[in-house]
Short mmCIF file of all heavy atoms in Angstrom, two decimals:
data_model
loop_
_atom_site.label_atom_id
_atom_site.label_comp_id
_atom_site.label_asym_id
_atom_site.label_seq_id
_atom_site.Cartn_x
_atom_site.Cartn_y
_atom_site.Cartn_z
N ASP A 671 28.71 -74.87 -12.97
CA ASP A 671 28.87 -74.31 -14.44
C ASP A 671 27.97 -73.19 -14.61
O ASP A 671 28.25 -72.17 -15.23
CB ASP A 671 28.49 -75.42 -15.47
CG ASP A 671 29.57 -76.53 -15.48
OD1 ASP A 671 30.73 -76.34 -14.90
OD2 ASP A 671 29.30 -77.58 -16.03
N GLY A 672 26.70 -73.35 -14.23
CA GLY A 672 25.73 -72.14 -14.32
C GLY A 672 25.99 -70.90 -13.52
O GLY A 672 25.62 -69.94 -14.00
N SER A 673 26.91 -71.06 -12.41
CA SER A 673 27.29 -69.90 -11.67
C SER A 673 28.19 -69.05 -12.44
O SER A 673 28.26 -67.86 -12.04
CB SER A 673 27.83 -70.47 -10.30
OG SER A 673 29.09 -70.86 -10.54
N ARG A 674 28.83 -69.67 -13.37
CA ARG A 674 29.88 -68.84 -14.17
C ARG A 674 31.01 -68.26 -13.21
O ARG A 674 31.62 -67.13 -13.51
CB ARG A 674 29.33 -67.65 -15.07
CG ARG A 674 28.27 -68.20 -16.03
CD ARG A 674 27.72 -67.16 -16.90
NE ARG A 674 26.98 -67.84 -17.96
CZ ARG A 674 26.20 -67.08 -18.75
NH1 ARG A 674 26.19 -65.83 -18.90
NH2 ARG A 674 25.37 -67.65 -19.64
N ASN A 675 31.29 -68.93 -12.15
CA ASN A 675 32.26 -68.54 -11.22
C ASN A 675 33.58 -69.45 -11.61
O ASN A 675 33.70 -70.48 -10.99
CB ASN A 675 31.73 -68.78 -9.79
CG ASN A 675 32.82 -68.30 -8.75
OD1 ASN A 675 34.07 -68.01 -9.10
ND2 ASN A 675 32.41 -68.43 -7.43
N GLN A 676 34.40 -68.88 -12.35
CA GLN A 676 35.52 -69.56 -12.70
C GLN A 676 36.67 -69.53 -11.65
O GLN A 676 37.71 -70.37 -11.79
CB GLN A 676 36.21 -68.90 -14.03
CG GLN A 676 35.19 -68.86 -15.23
CD GLN A 676 35.84 -68.26 -16.44
OE1 GLN A 676 36.88 -67.64 -16.52
NE2 GLN A 676 35.11 -68.48 -17.62
N LYS A 677 36.42 -68.86 -10.62
CA LYS A 677 37.54 -68.82 -9.49
C LYS A 677 37.20 -69.74 -8.33
O LYS A 677 37.99 -69.98 -7.53
CB LYS A 677 37.70 -67.39 -9.01
CG LYS A 677 38.16 -66.36 -10.00
CD LYS A 677 38.29 -65.00 -9.37
CE LYS A 677 38.67 -63.99 -10.48
NZ LYS A 677 38.77 -62.63 -9.87
N VAL A 678 35.87 -70.46 -8.42
CA VAL A 678 35.63 -71.24 -7.29
C VAL A 678 36.46 -72.46 -7.22
O VAL A 678 36.69 -73.07 -8.32
CB VAL A 678 34.14 -71.53 -7.35
CG1 VAL A 678 33.80 -72.45 -8.50
CG2 VAL A 678 33.67 -72.27 -6.02
N MET A 679 36.98 -72.84 -6.09
CA MET A 679 37.79 -74.01 -5.90
C MET A 679 36.77 -75.17 -5.65
O MET A 679 36.04 -75.10 -4.70
CB MET A 679 38.68 -73.93 -4.73
CG MET A 679 39.50 -75.10 -4.39
SD MET A 679 40.52 -75.05 -2.97
CE MET A 679 41.55 -73.54 -3.26
N VAL A 680 36.78 -76.21 -6.54
CA VAL A 680 35.78 -77.40 -6.40
C VAL A 680 36.53 -78.45 -5.69
O VAL A 680 37.67 -78.88 -6.37
CB VAL A 680 35.25 -77.67 -7.83
CG1 VAL A 680 34.28 -78.89 -7.54
CG2 VAL A 680 34.49 -76.45 -8.35
N VAL A 681 36.04 -78.98 -4.63
CA VAL A 681 36.73 -80.11 -3.89
C VAL A 681 35.81 -81.38 -3.82
O VAL A 681 34.66 -81.12 -3.41
CB VAL A 681 37.12 -79.54 -2.49
CG1 VAL A 681 37.78 -80.74 -1.67
CG2 VAL A 681 38.03 -78.33 -2.60
N ASP A 682 36.39 -82.46 -4.11
CA ASP A 682 35.63 -83.72 -3.88
C ASP A 682 36.08 -84.35 -2.71
O ASP A 682 37.29 -84.71 -2.28
CB ASP A 682 36.12 -84.68 -5.11
CG ASP A 682 35.37 -85.98 -5.07
OD1 ASP A 682 34.88 -86.37 -4.01
OD2 ASP A 682 35.36 -86.80 -6.09
N CYS A 683 35.12 -84.43 -1.63
CA CYS A 683 35.46 -84.78 -0.24
C CYS A 683 35.70 -86.42 -0.19
O CYS A 683 35.98 -86.91 0.83
CB CYS A 683 34.35 -84.44 0.58
SG CYS A 683 34.19 -82.65 0.91
N SER A 684 35.42 -87.14 -1.26
CA SER A 684 35.56 -88.55 -1.29
C SER A 684 37.05 -89.14 -1.56
O SER A 684 37.14 -90.25 -1.43
CB SER A 684 34.53 -89.15 -2.21
OG SER A 684 35.08 -89.01 -3.65
N VAL A 685 37.93 -88.08 -1.77
CA VAL A 685 39.25 -88.64 -2.35
C VAL A 685 39.93 -89.60 -1.32
O VAL A 685 40.81 -90.42 -1.90
CB VAL A 685 40.12 -87.33 -2.70
CG1 VAL A 685 39.57 -86.66 -3.87
CG2 VAL A 685 40.20 -86.44 -1.48
N GLU A 686 39.81 -89.44 -0.09
CA GLU A 686 40.46 -90.29 0.90
C GLU A 686 39.72 -91.45 1.26
O GLU A 686 40.15 -92.24 2.12
CB GLU A 686 40.99 -89.41 2.07
CG GLU A 686 41.91 -88.26 1.73
CD GLU A 686 43.15 -88.77 1.16
OE1 GLU A 686 43.67 -89.74 1.51
OE2 GLU A 686 43.76 -87.96 0.33
N ILE A 687 38.60 -91.62 0.83
CA ILE A 687 37.66 -92.68 1.32
C ILE A 687 38.06 -94.09 0.81
O ILE A 687 38.30 -94.27 -0.33
CB ILE A 687 36.11 -92.40 1.04
CG1 ILE A 687 35.73 -91.04 1.65
CG2 ILE A 687 35.21 -93.45 1.61
CD1 ILE A 687 35.87 -90.93 3.08
N ASN A 688 37.93 -95.04 1.65
CA ASN A 688 38.05 -96.50 1.29
C ASN A 688 36.68 -96.88 0.83
O ASN A 688 35.82 -97.33 1.61
CB ASN A 688 38.49 -97.31 2.45
CG ASN A 688 38.70 -98.79 2.11
OD1 ASN A 688 38.73 -99.07 0.81
ND2 ASN A 688 38.72 -99.69 3.09
N LYS A 689 36.38 -96.82 -0.47
CA LYS A 689 35.13 -97.07 -0.95
C LYS A 689 34.57 -98.33 -0.90
O LYS A 689 35.23 -99.39 -1.32
CB LYS A 689 35.17 -96.47 -2.46
CG LYS A 689 35.53 -94.94 -2.52
CD LYS A 689 35.85 -94.51 -3.94
CE LYS A 689 36.19 -93.06 -3.95
NZ LYS A 689 37.49 -92.69 -3.21
N MET A 690 33.26 -98.59 -0.58
CA MET A 690 32.62 -99.85 -0.55
C MET A 690 31.76 -100.08 -1.80
O MET A 690 31.31 -99.10 -2.41
CB MET A 690 31.85 -99.86 0.71
CG MET A 690 32.42 -99.80 2.17
SD MET A 690 31.53 -100.00 3.48
CE MET A 690 30.85 -101.59 3.42
N GLU A 691 31.52 -101.25 -2.01
CA GLU A 691 30.60 -101.67 -3.05
C GLU A 691 30.82 -101.09 -4.51
O GLU A 691 29.91 -100.69 -5.14
CB GLU A 691 29.08 -101.41 -2.70
CG GLU A 691 28.68 -102.13 -1.44
CD GLU A 691 27.31 -101.80 -0.98
OE1 GLU A 691 26.66 -100.79 -1.65
OE2 GLU A 691 26.84 -102.40 0.01
N VAL A 692 32.00 -101.15 -4.82
CA VAL A 692 32.47 -100.67 -6.13
C VAL A 692 32.14 -101.83 -7.14
O VAL A 692 32.63 -102.82 -6.98
CB VAL A 692 34.08 -100.29 -6.26
CG1 VAL A 692 34.42 -99.77 -7.59
CG2 VAL A 692 34.48 -99.30 -5.18
N PRO A 693 31.29 -101.40 -8.09
CA PRO A 693 30.72 -102.45 -8.91
C PRO A 693 31.90 -103.00 -9.94
O PRO A 693 32.80 -102.23 -10.28
CB PRO A 693 29.60 -101.77 -9.86
CG PRO A 693 30.08 -100.36 -9.67
CD PRO A 693 30.68 -100.05 -8.35
N THR A 694 31.73 -104.20 -10.29
CA THR A 694 32.62 -104.93 -11.34
C THR A 694 31.82 -105.11 -12.54
O THR A 694 30.65 -105.58 -12.44
CB THR A 694 33.37 -105.94 -10.76
OG1 THR A 694 32.52 -106.93 -10.37
CG2 THR A 694 34.25 -105.71 -9.50
N GLY A 695 32.36 -105.27 -13.61
CA GLY A 695 31.70 -105.75 -14.80
C GLY A 695 30.98 -104.55 -15.43
O GLY A 695 31.11 -103.33 -15.04
N GLN A 696 30.14 -104.80 -16.49
CA GLN A 696 29.54 -103.73 -17.16
C GLN A 696 28.32 -103.28 -16.31
O GLN A 696 27.55 -104.06 -15.71
CB GLN A 696 28.97 -104.30 -18.45
CG GLN A 696 28.27 -103.35 -19.39
CD GLN A 696 28.00 -103.85 -20.75
OE1 GLN A 696 28.17 -105.07 -21.07
NE2 GLN A 696 27.26 -102.99 -21.71
N ILE A 697 27.99 -101.96 -16.46
CA ILE A 697 26.89 -101.36 -15.68
C ILE A 697 25.95 -100.79 -16.76
O ILE A 697 26.30 -100.15 -17.68
CB ILE A 697 27.57 -100.19 -14.86
CG1 ILE A 697 28.41 -100.82 -13.81
CG2 ILE A 697 26.27 -99.46 -14.10
CD1 ILE A 697 29.06 -99.75 -12.90
N ASP A 698 24.70 -101.06 -16.57
CA ASP A 698 23.66 -100.48 -17.44
C ASP A 698 22.38 -100.11 -16.61
O ASP A 698 22.24 -100.24 -15.36
CB ASP A 698 23.31 -101.35 -18.52
CG ASP A 698 22.66 -102.78 -18.01
OD1 ASP A 698 21.66 -102.69 -17.20
OD2 ASP A 698 23.26 -103.86 -18.48
N ALA A 699 21.47 -99.47 -17.27
CA ALA A 699 20.29 -98.80 -16.56
C ALA A 699 19.41 -99.84 -15.96
O ALA A 699 18.62 -99.52 -15.10
CB ALA A 699 19.55 -97.96 -17.49
N SER A 700 19.45 -101.14 -16.38
CA SER A 700 18.64 -102.09 -15.81
C SER A 700 18.88 -102.44 -14.41
O SER A 700 18.26 -103.06 -13.67
CB SER A 700 18.72 -103.38 -16.66
OG SER A 700 20.01 -104.02 -16.48
N MET A 701 20.19 -101.94 -13.86
CA MET A 701 20.69 -102.17 -12.53
C MET A 701 20.07 -101.24 -11.57
O MET A 701 20.55 -101.33 -10.40
CB MET A 701 22.22 -102.33 -12.56
CG MET A 701 22.70 -103.36 -13.47
SD MET A 701 24.53 -103.21 -13.74
CE MET A 701 25.05 -103.71 -12.19
N GLY A 702 19.36 -100.20 -11.99
CA GLY A 702 18.94 -99.17 -11.18
C GLY A 702 20.04 -98.08 -11.06
O GLY A 702 20.93 -97.97 -11.75
N ASP A 703 19.96 -97.27 -9.93
CA ASP A 703 20.88 -96.12 -9.75
C ASP A 703 22.30 -96.69 -9.17
O ASP A 703 22.49 -96.51 -7.99
CB ASP A 703 20.23 -95.12 -8.82
CG ASP A 703 19.27 -94.43 -9.41
OD1 ASP A 703 19.04 -94.39 -10.79
OD2 ASP A 703 18.14 -93.95 -8.83
N ILE A 704 23.00 -97.37 -10.00
CA ILE A 704 24.26 -97.94 -9.50
C ILE A 704 25.34 -96.91 -9.69
O ILE A 704 25.48 -96.26 -10.76
CB ILE A 704 24.62 -99.19 -10.25
CG1 ILE A 704 23.67 -100.27 -10.05
CG2 ILE A 704 26.09 -99.63 -9.94
CD1 ILE A 704 23.57 -100.86 -8.66
N HIS A 705 26.16 -96.64 -8.72
CA HIS A 705 27.24 -95.66 -8.76
C HIS A 705 28.50 -96.33 -9.20
O HIS A 705 29.01 -97.29 -8.58
CB HIS A 705 27.40 -94.95 -7.41
CG HIS A 705 26.24 -94.21 -7.08
ND1 HIS A 705 25.89 -93.02 -7.55
CD2 HIS A 705 25.22 -94.53 -6.28
CE1 HIS A 705 24.94 -92.43 -7.03
NE2 HIS A 705 24.40 -93.37 -6.27
N ARG A 706 29.11 -95.94 -10.27
CA ARG A 706 30.33 -96.58 -10.83
C ARG A 706 31.58 -96.60 -9.88
O ARG A 706 32.35 -97.52 -9.96
CB ARG A 706 30.69 -95.86 -12.13
CG ARG A 706 29.82 -96.03 -13.22
CD ARG A 706 30.34 -95.29 -14.44
NE ARG A 706 30.44 -93.79 -14.17
CZ ARG A 706 31.15 -92.89 -14.91
NH1 ARG A 706 31.83 -93.37 -16.00
NH2 ARG A 706 31.10 -91.62 -14.51
N PHE A 707 31.58 -95.64 -9.06
CA PHE A 707 32.60 -95.63 -8.14
C PHE A 707 32.63 -95.98 -6.78
O PHE A 707 33.36 -95.89 -5.86
CB PHE A 707 33.23 -94.07 -8.11
CG PHE A 707 33.51 -93.55 -9.45
CD1 PHE A 707 32.67 -92.51 -9.95
CD2 PHE A 707 34.54 -94.04 -10.16
CE1 PHE A 707 32.98 -92.12 -11.27
CE2 PHE A 707 34.80 -93.56 -11.54
CZ PHE A 707 33.96 -92.62 -12.03
N GLY A 708 31.45 -96.70 -6.45
CA GLY A 708 31.20 -97.37 -5.12
C GLY A 708 29.96 -96.70 -4.55
O GLY A 708 29.49 -95.62 -4.99
N ASN A 709 29.55 -97.19 -3.43
CA ASN A 709 28.44 -96.57 -2.69
C ASN A 709 28.84 -95.19 -2.17
O ASN A 709 29.96 -95.21 -1.36
CB ASN A 709 28.05 -97.53 -1.54
CG ASN A 709 26.68 -97.08 -0.82
OD1 ASN A 709 26.65 -95.97 -0.28
ND2 ASN A 709 25.79 -97.94 -0.97
N PRO A 710 28.17 -94.07 -2.46
CA PRO A 710 28.56 -92.89 -2.06
C PRO A 710 28.16 -92.33 -0.71
O PRO A 710 28.44 -91.16 -0.44
CB PRO A 710 28.04 -91.95 -3.13
CG PRO A 710 26.60 -92.72 -3.38
CD PRO A 710 27.03 -94.11 -3.31
N HIS A 711 27.52 -93.09 0.12
CA HIS A 711 26.98 -92.68 1.44
C HIS A 711 28.09 -92.76 2.50
O HIS A 711 27.72 -93.21 3.72
CB HIS A 711 25.72 -93.35 1.71
CG HIS A 711 24.59 -93.29 0.83
ND1 HIS A 711 23.68 -92.15 0.86
CD2 HIS A 711 24.22 -93.91 -0.27
CE1 HIS A 711 22.96 -92.29 -0.21
NE2 HIS A 711 23.14 -93.36 -0.91
N TYR A 712 29.22 -92.48 2.25
CA TYR A 712 30.52 -92.79 3.04
C TYR A 712 30.50 -91.90 4.30
O TYR A 712 31.17 -92.32 5.21
CB TYR A 712 31.71 -92.49 2.20
CG TYR A 712 31.92 -91.21 1.79
CD1 TYR A 712 32.40 -90.08 2.46
CD2 TYR A 712 31.54 -90.88 0.39
CE1 TYR A 712 32.58 -88.85 1.92
CE2 TYR A 712 31.67 -89.65 -0.17
CZ TYR A 712 32.21 -88.56 0.55
OH TYR A 712 32.36 -87.39 0.06
N TRP A 713 29.77 -90.79 4.32
CA TRP A 713 29.84 -89.96 5.57
C TRP A 713 29.04 -90.61 6.74
O TRP A 713 29.09 -90.14 7.82
CB TRP A 713 29.21 -88.58 5.35
CG TRP A 713 27.71 -88.69 4.98
CD1 TRP A 713 26.64 -88.60 5.78
CD2 TRP A 713 26.96 -88.78 3.69
NE1 TRP A 713 25.33 -88.76 5.30
CE2 TRP A 713 25.65 -88.86 3.87
CE3 TRP A 713 27.54 -88.92 2.42
CZ2 TRP A 713 24.69 -89.00 2.90
CZ3 TRP A 713 26.60 -89.11 1.42
CH2 TRP A 713 25.34 -89.09 1.54
N LEU A 714 28.32 -91.63 6.47
CA LEU A 714 27.60 -92.46 7.57
C LEU A 714 28.50 -93.45 8.32
O LEU A 714 28.04 -94.23 9.04
CB LEU A 714 26.40 -93.10 6.95
CG LEU A 714 25.27 -92.25 6.54
CD1 LEU A 714 24.17 -92.88 5.71
CD2 LEU A 714 24.59 -91.67 7.94
N ASP A 715 29.82 -93.21 8.27
CA ASP A 715 30.75 -93.80 9.12
C ASP A 715 31.65 -92.72 9.77
O ASP A 715 32.18 -91.92 9.14
CB ASP A 715 31.77 -94.80 8.32
CG ASP A 715 32.85 -95.40 9.15
OD1 ASP A 715 32.96 -95.20 10.41
OD2 ASP A 715 33.44 -96.36 8.64
N PRO A 716 31.49 -92.64 11.09
CA PRO A 716 32.15 -91.52 11.76
C PRO A 716 33.65 -91.45 11.45
O PRO A 716 34.17 -90.32 11.55
CB PRO A 716 31.87 -91.80 13.18
CG PRO A 716 31.35 -93.12 13.29
CD PRO A 716 30.75 -93.43 12.07
N GLU A 717 34.28 -92.59 11.25
CA GLU A 717 35.72 -92.65 10.87
C GLU A 717 35.88 -91.92 9.58
O GLU A 717 36.85 -91.13 9.45
CB GLU A 717 36.21 -93.99 10.77
CG GLU A 717 36.31 -94.73 12.11
CD GLU A 717 37.25 -93.96 13.06
OE1 GLU A 717 38.33 -93.51 12.55
OE2 GLU A 717 37.04 -94.05 14.33
N ASN A 718 34.97 -92.03 8.69
CA ASN A 718 34.99 -91.31 7.41
C ASN A 718 34.84 -89.75 7.64
O ASN A 718 35.38 -88.98 6.80
CB ASN A 718 34.14 -91.78 6.33
CG ASN A 718 34.54 -93.21 5.83
OD1 ASN A 718 35.70 -93.61 5.85
ND2 ASN A 718 33.53 -93.96 5.23
N GLY A 719 34.19 -89.48 8.64
CA GLY A 719 33.96 -87.99 9.06
C GLY A 719 35.29 -87.40 9.16
O GLY A 719 35.58 -86.23 8.93
N LYS A 720 36.21 -88.15 9.80
CA LYS A 720 37.61 -87.56 10.00
C LYS A 720 38.36 -87.35 8.68
O LYS A 720 39.04 -86.27 8.49
CB LYS A 720 38.47 -88.59 10.83
CG LYS A 720 37.84 -88.84 12.24
CD LYS A 720 38.96 -89.81 12.94
CE LYS A 720 38.40 -90.25 14.29
NZ LYS A 720 39.27 -91.21 14.87
N LEU A 721 38.25 -88.24 7.80
CA LEU A 721 38.72 -88.10 6.38
C LEU A 721 38.15 -86.90 5.72
O LEU A 721 38.87 -86.15 5.04
CB LEU A 721 38.71 -89.38 5.69
CG LEU A 721 39.25 -90.63 6.28
CD1 LEU A 721 38.96 -91.78 5.34
CD2 LEU A 721 40.70 -90.37 6.50
N ILE A 722 36.80 -86.74 5.80
CA ILE A 722 36.21 -85.59 5.25
C ILE A 722 36.86 -84.24 5.79
O ILE A 722 37.09 -83.26 5.14
CB ILE A 722 34.78 -85.61 5.32
CG1 ILE A 722 34.05 -86.96 4.69
CG2 ILE A 722 34.02 -84.33 4.88
CD1 ILE A 722 32.64 -87.11 4.96
N ALA A 723 36.86 -84.27 7.12
CA ALA A 723 37.42 -83.13 7.92
C ALA A 723 38.85 -82.76 7.54
O ALA A 723 39.24 -81.62 7.46
CB ALA A 723 37.22 -83.26 9.26
N SER A 724 39.58 -83.75 7.26
CA SER A 724 41.02 -83.56 6.89
C SER A 724 41.13 -82.91 5.60
O SER A 724 42.02 -81.96 5.36
CB SER A 724 41.74 -84.88 6.87
OG SER A 724 43.13 -84.82 6.54
N VAL A 725 40.32 -83.37 4.67
CA VAL A 725 40.39 -82.74 3.27
C VAL A 725 39.86 -81.23 3.39
O VAL A 725 40.44 -80.40 2.78
CB VAL A 725 39.35 -83.52 2.34
CG1 VAL A 725 39.00 -82.77 0.98
CG2 VAL A 725 39.89 -84.89 2.02
N ILE A 726 38.81 -80.93 4.18
CA ILE A 726 38.32 -79.67 4.33
C ILE A 726 39.35 -78.74 4.97
O ILE A 726 39.60 -77.65 4.50
CB ILE A 726 37.01 -79.77 5.20
CG1 ILE A 726 35.81 -80.31 4.35
CG2 ILE A 726 36.67 -78.25 5.70
CD1 ILE A 726 34.61 -80.59 5.19
N THR A 727 40.04 -79.30 5.97
CA THR A 727 41.04 -78.54 6.68
C THR A 727 42.27 -78.22 5.66
O THR A 727 42.74 -77.02 5.70
CB THR A 727 41.68 -79.28 7.76
OG1 THR A 727 40.79 -79.64 8.63
CG2 THR A 727 42.91 -78.69 8.47
N GLU A 728 42.65 -79.16 4.89
CA GLU A 728 43.72 -78.97 3.78
C GLU A 728 43.24 -77.82 2.91
O GLU A 728 44.14 -76.82 2.56
CB GLU A 728 43.98 -80.16 3.11
CG GLU A 728 45.05 -79.91 1.97
CD GLU A 728 45.34 -81.20 1.18
OE1 GLU A 728 44.65 -82.21 1.45
OE2 GLU A 728 46.03 -81.14 0.15
N LYS A 729 42.06 -77.81 2.39
CA LYS A 729 41.75 -76.91 1.33
C LYS A 729 41.45 -75.52 2.00
O LYS A 729 41.83 -74.45 1.31
CB LYS A 729 40.52 -77.39 0.63
CG LYS A 729 40.56 -78.71 0.00
CD LYS A 729 41.72 -78.70 -1.01
CE LYS A 729 42.04 -79.97 -1.71
NZ LYS A 729 43.22 -80.05 -2.73
N LEU A 730 40.90 -75.40 3.15
CA LEU A 730 40.71 -74.20 3.78
C LEU A 730 42.15 -73.53 4.19
O LEU A 730 42.30 -72.32 3.92
CB LEU A 730 39.91 -74.38 5.00
CG LEU A 730 38.41 -74.61 4.95
CD1 LEU A 730 37.75 -74.71 6.29
CD2 LEU A 730 37.75 -73.36 4.30
N SER A 731 43.05 -74.32 4.62
CA SER A 731 44.36 -73.94 4.90
C SER A 731 45.07 -73.31 3.69
O SER A 731 45.83 -72.35 3.60
CB SER A 731 45.19 -74.98 5.51
OG SER A 731 44.68 -75.37 6.80
#
Side-chain angles (χ1 to χ4, degrees):
D671 292 342
S673 75
R674 298 183 180 179
N675 181 354
Q676 297 180 351
K677 295 177 180 178
V678 68
M679 181 188 298
V680 180
V681 179
D682 184 339
C683 290
S684 72
V685 290
E686 300 295 333
I687 301 299
N688 183 16
K689 300 169 178 63
M690 296 179 66
E691 300 181 351
V692 179
T694 58
Q696 186 174 356
I697 300 171
D698 57 55
S700 68
M701 301 169 69
D703 292 336
I704 297 294
H705 298 278
R706 293 178 298 162
F707 304 109
N709 191 296
H711 300 272
Y712 57 84
W713 67 88
L714 287 167
D715 179 347
E717 289 297 328
N718 287 341
K720 295 181 187 177
L721 299 179
I722 298 169
S724 178
V725 170
I726 290 170
T727 301
E728 177 188 356
K729 299 306 179 182
L730 287 176
S731 296

